[in-house]
């Protein structure tokens, strides 16, 4: 299992140190939640802060857009050369066009599904994307409780992926911890995002990441 800790749960007064801590602690990706206060009822960070994250990180960035006007935000963050940029299909009028744009910028495109959106919504996109991010909480805030139905959803998505694009990864974000990670792995999930579990683990960041792996 690959682990992408979310910096949403970091101490933003010591952000560089907290980014270095997850990289030194064995993470595979640094998950960056970008919220605009419109698509979700929260406002997080822009390119100036993410540029500082990129400088501190020794692992690739995984940028998750929870925004309106996705193409505008892709242009903002593309110069930082993240590994992935993911966007919500519920918000995008022209998802195939945006996928092509992200790939043309040398970035791996990914699409996000909210808890209510079925995996079949991606049936005709799977050959064009490198990752699907399943939300296991309602997007917008960290520290929420895991929605168990994502387990069955991941299994259904895995079957579609095996038919259409076996190289496509599955990532799950929201309420992931040491107790449910095994169920996610068994369902075919490749990457887990964890914020409060990693940064709030009583035995420290490295132990939290090791437990998820």
């Amino acid at each position: 299992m690959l682990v992408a800790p979310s910096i949403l749960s970091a101490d933003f007064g010591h952000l560089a140190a907290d980014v270095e801590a997850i990289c030194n602690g064995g993470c595979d990706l640094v998950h960056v939640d970008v919220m605009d206060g419109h698509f979700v009822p929260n406002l997080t960070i822009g390119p100036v802060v993410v540029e500082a994250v990129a400088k501190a990180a020794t692992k690739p960035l995984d940028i998750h857009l929870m925004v309106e006007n996705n193409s505008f935000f892709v242009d903002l963050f593309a110069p930082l050369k993240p590994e992935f940029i993911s966007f919500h299909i519920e918000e995008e009028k022209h998802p195939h066009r945006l996928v092509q744009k992200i790939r043309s910028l040398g970035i791996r495109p990914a699409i996000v599904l909210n808890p209510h959106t079925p995996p079949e919504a991606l049936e005709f996109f799977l050959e064009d994307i490198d990752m699907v991010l399943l939300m296991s909480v309602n997007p917008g805030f960290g520290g929420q409780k895991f929605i168990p139905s994502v387990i069955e959803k991941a299994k259904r998505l895995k079957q579609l992926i095996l038919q259409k694009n076996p190289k496509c990864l599955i990532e799950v974000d929201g309420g992931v911890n040491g107790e449910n990670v095994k169920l996610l792995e068994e369902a075919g999930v490749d990457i887990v995002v964890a914020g409060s579990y990693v940064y709030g683990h009583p035995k420290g960041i490295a132990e939290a990441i090791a437990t998820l792996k």
Side-chain angles (χ1 to χ4, degrees), residues 29-118:
L29 296 159
V30 176
H31 190 81
V32 180
D33 293 298
V34 176
M35 309 181 196
D36 66 351
H38 296 284
F39 178 62
V40 291
N42 196 7
L43 186 65
T44 55
I45 54 179
V48 174
V49 175
V50 181
E51 185 176 359
V53 171
K55 287 178 180 176
T58 53
K59 301 294 175 70
L61 300 190
D62 173 26
I63 295 181
H64 173 194
L65 300 178
M66 288 172 264
V67 300
E68 296 178 356
N69 196 0
N70 282 298
S71 187
F72 169 79
F73 281 89
V74 168
D75 288 335
L76 280 185
F77 293 105
L80 300 176
K81 294 298 178 187
E83 181 79 8
F84 294 100
I85 291 182
S86 57
F87 63 90
H88 281 257
I89 197 169
E90 299 87 1
E91 177 54 36
E92 183 53 45
K93 293 183 179 71
H94 304 287
H96 188 264
R97 181 185 297 164
L98 186 58
V99 163
Q100 290 177 311
K101 176 177 179 173
I102 293 169
R103 194 176 296 286
S104 75
L105 293 165
I107 300 162
R108 301 175 73 185
I111 293 182
V112 194
L113 300 183
N114 273 339
H116 69 280
T117 305

